[in-house]
Amino acid sequence: MRGESMQTHVKEETWHFETIAIHKGQDPDPATGAVIVPIYQTSTYVQESLGKHKGFEYSRTSNPTRKALEECLAGLEKGDFGLAFSSGMAAAATTMNLFSQGDHLIVSDDVYGGTFRLFQRVLTRYGLSFSFVDARDIKNAEKALQKNTKGIWIETPTNPLLKIADLKSFADFARANNLISICDNTFASPYFQNPLEFGFDLVLHSTTKYLGGHSDVVGGGVVTRRQDLYETLKFHQNAVGGIPGPFDAWLVLRGIKTLALRMERHEKNALQIARMLEGHPVVQRVNYPGLESHPQHALAKKQMRGFGGMISFELKGGIHSARTLLEKTRLFSLAESLGGVESLIEHPATMTHASLPPEVRAQLGISDGLIRISVGIEHVEDLLQDLQKALAFVG
Ligand SMILES: Cc1ncc(COP(=O)(O)O)c(C=O)c1O
């Protein structure tokens, strides 16, 4: 394992996703033969003489465990360069260092609440400006274009309403207008969707979610095929310092090994649960891109290989019904976050999306009766029963 500050362009063209997840960047340890990449819990590295070292000088700049994760992330997203961060928000904040005072970005309107907060309450103070648009229609982005627009930032499927943006149209629009295009791919995971393949410049993840997969680590990642963007981001990763520690990088790497298997089960369970919810009398509407009733099901089918494990649904009876359901489930734990092996349930209006102003939530359709679930990989019969029992108390 060498540690040059720039990653080598390694591409195992023939490896499938599952093989990349287990092997990319993860050769047996050259020092000991350890099959699993060790946790290189060190802040610094001995130098033989001035400037003569094995490629690692200081762990903010580069660390062998983090490097293995970065190469693996690049492989999963079909990119050439990966960078790992201490959280999804650290990945987002460092990515935003690509922009400068006076720049404007077009952003899909129901991005994760924390992303909205970073843009509106932190970065506007540094002279950046943002237009939030309904990204279901590319025309809304075209209308928001300004002379100083430098980037687009989208999520698809969105959180929590599972709206879909057309990846190809957005990538083409960005290229035609010389904009840096960024897609937060946390919800879909790289197993089901690869935005770089549609022409996006950067793909971002909260690795806290499906990649880590076990709700035991907070992390983030960014992948690109563009060397220029990679070099600028690598500079900022080191300059700003939002890096994961070696143990956290190792936990994400371990989670990734089973990503394919987990995603298959998340999706299988989610589809059955979405169908049950759709037929339930106290449920007004179900948002899941895998349902034929989803208004953008055809687009989701075109650009995703599967629909993931996230569902949101609207209960009849607003906050009263929501509270009852949230109190009555047993297997679905009331908690923020998503993408772990265990099923979670939450209330976006007061939890994950509480950082959005109430008028913005209302405009987006994040009502008091909206529930979001992250469907885990438990046995589906147990999950169905848990929800059905709790729904019986509603209404
Ligand atoms: C879609 C999405 N992006 C980014 C983030 C932020 O990631 P983190 O919590 O790892 O900082 C989250 C967290 O919930 C998310 O759901």
Side-chain angles (χ1 to χ4, degrees):
M1 192 184 303
R2 289 174 305 136
E4 343 49 290
S5 58
M6 293 300 157
Q7 287 174 9
T8 44
H9 182 137
V10 193
K11 220 172 180 188
E12 288 82 7
E13 300 283 0
T14 57
W15 280 2
H16 293 87
F17 188 92
E18 293 83 346
T19 313
I20 291 171
I22 293 168
H23 293 291
K24 182 88 195 280
Q26 301 167 75
D27 290 339
D29 180 47
T32 62
V35 166
I36 295 300
V37 173
I39 303 165
Y40 280 92
Q41 196 71 43
T42 185
S43 61
T44 192
Y45 307 82
V46 70
Q47 307 199 5
E48 276 176 50
S49 61
L50 266 187
K52 200 166 171 217
H53 51 74
K54 295 185 167 63
F56 298 95
E57 294 164 84
Y58 185 61
S59 277
R60 174 162 33 74
T61 317
S62 192
N63 170 281
T65 316
R66 188 174 98 220
K67 184 168 185 284
L69 171 61
E70 292 178 332
E71 289 187 7
C72 188
L73 287 174
L76 295 179
E77 277 294 4
K78 301 187 175 18
D80 295 332
F81 308 101
L83 289 164
F85 294 91
S86 55
S87 67
M89 290 321 300
T94 309
T95 300
M96 290 306 291
N97 290 150
L98 291 170
F99 301 98
S100 301
Q101 190 177 19
D103 290 351
H104 167 258
L105 281 94
I106 298 167
V107 183
S108 58
D109 62 5
D110 63 342
V111 280
Y112 167 60
T115 305
F116 183 85
R117 178 175 55 201
L118 171 72
F119 291 176
Q120 286 298 76
R121 296 187 51 194
V122 181
L123 296 176
T124 50
R125 290 195 281 114
Y126 292 81
L128 293 175
S129 62
F130 303 90
S131 295
F132 294 89
V133 302
D134 184 340
R136 284 174 295 188
D137 189 346
I138 187 71
K139 288 198 187 75
N140 295 325
E142 288 163 0
K143 275 188 239 153
L145 193 67
Q146 301 178 6
K147 277 207 180 80
N148 59 340
T149 306
K150 293 286 164 60
I152 58 161
W153 181 298
I154 66 160
E155 272 179 38
T156 179
T158 61
N159 175 11
L161 293 165
L162 286 306
K163 296 184 204 161
I164 309 288
D166 186 329
L167 286 168
K168 170 107 177 42
S169 307
F170 271 88
D172 290 349
F173 166 71
R175 179 146 313 134
N177 293 286
N178 213 10
L179 314 177
I180 296 173
S181 49
I182 304 147
C183 179
D184 180 337
N185 201 30
T186 301
F187 259 42
S189 90
Y191 185 66
F192 285 139
Q193 177 173 280
N194 297 115
L196 300 185
E197 291 212 298
F198 294 87
F200 266 75
D201 293 318
L202 293 167
V203 58
L204 181 136
H205 281 280
S206 165
T207 57
T208 316
K209 310 298 182 323
Y210 287 110
L211 291 162
H214 297 74
S215 305
D216 53 12
V217 63
V218 173
V222 177
V223 176
T224 184
R225 291 178 178 176
R226 281 182 54 178
Q227 179 139 9
D228 58 336
L229 293 181
Y230 167 69
E231 285 174 15
T232 310
L233 284 173
K234 172 86 189 147
F235 167 80
H236 283 93
Q237 182 196 43
N238 183 48
V240 177
I243 47 116
F247 183 52
D248 284 359
W250 184 88
L251 278 173
V252 177
L253 261 181
R254 185 170 73 159
I256 285 173
K257 288 182 192 292
T258 54
L259 180 63
L261 291 171
R262 287 186 283 108
M263 291 315 297
E264 291 285 347
R265 178 62 75 90
H266 280 298
E267 189 197 28
K268 206 165 156 221
N269 285 358
L271 191 57
Q272 284 196 58
I273 288 171
R275 293 225 160 97
M276 179 279 285
L277 289 170
E278 204 173 29
H280 200 285
V282 302
V283 177
Q284 196 157 334
R285 182 168 47 90
V286 181
N287 306 312
Y288 183 65
L291 289 176
E292 292 74 15
S293 60
H294 189 289
Q296 295 168 291
H297 177 62
L299 174 59
K301 245 168 108 171
K302 202 170 91 185
Q303 66 187 23
M304 302 176 78
R305 292 181 292 272
F307 308 106
M310 297 302 298
I311 303 172
S312 64
F313 56 99
E314 184 81 38
L315 285 174
K316 293 176 186 164
I319 187 74
H320 176 71
S321 302
R323 185 168 289 124
T324 307
L325 181 70
L326 295 168
E327 281 170 5
K328 294 293 181 190
T329 55
R330 272 188 58 209
L331 280 176
F332 280 85
S333 304
L334 177 59
E336 299 203 5
S337 201
L338 61 110
V341 290
E342 69 292 318
S343 293
L344 300 178
I345 188 163
E346 68 110 5
H347 186 239
T350 55
M351 295 171 70
T352 48
H353 291 68
S355 52
L356 297 184
E359 64 280 6
V360 175
R361 282 202 303 272
Q363 202 185 323
L364 293 175
I366 303 174
S367 70
D368 286 350
L370 188 76
I371 301 285
R372 188 188 82 179
I373 56 175
S374 172
V375 178
I377 63 170
E378 301 94 334
H379 198 291
V380 71
E381 292 299 332
D382 298 329
L383 296 180
L384 284 166
Q385 207 181 70
D386 189 43
L387 278 176
Q388 279 163 330
K389 270 191 186 163
L391 283 165
F393 287 94
V394 177

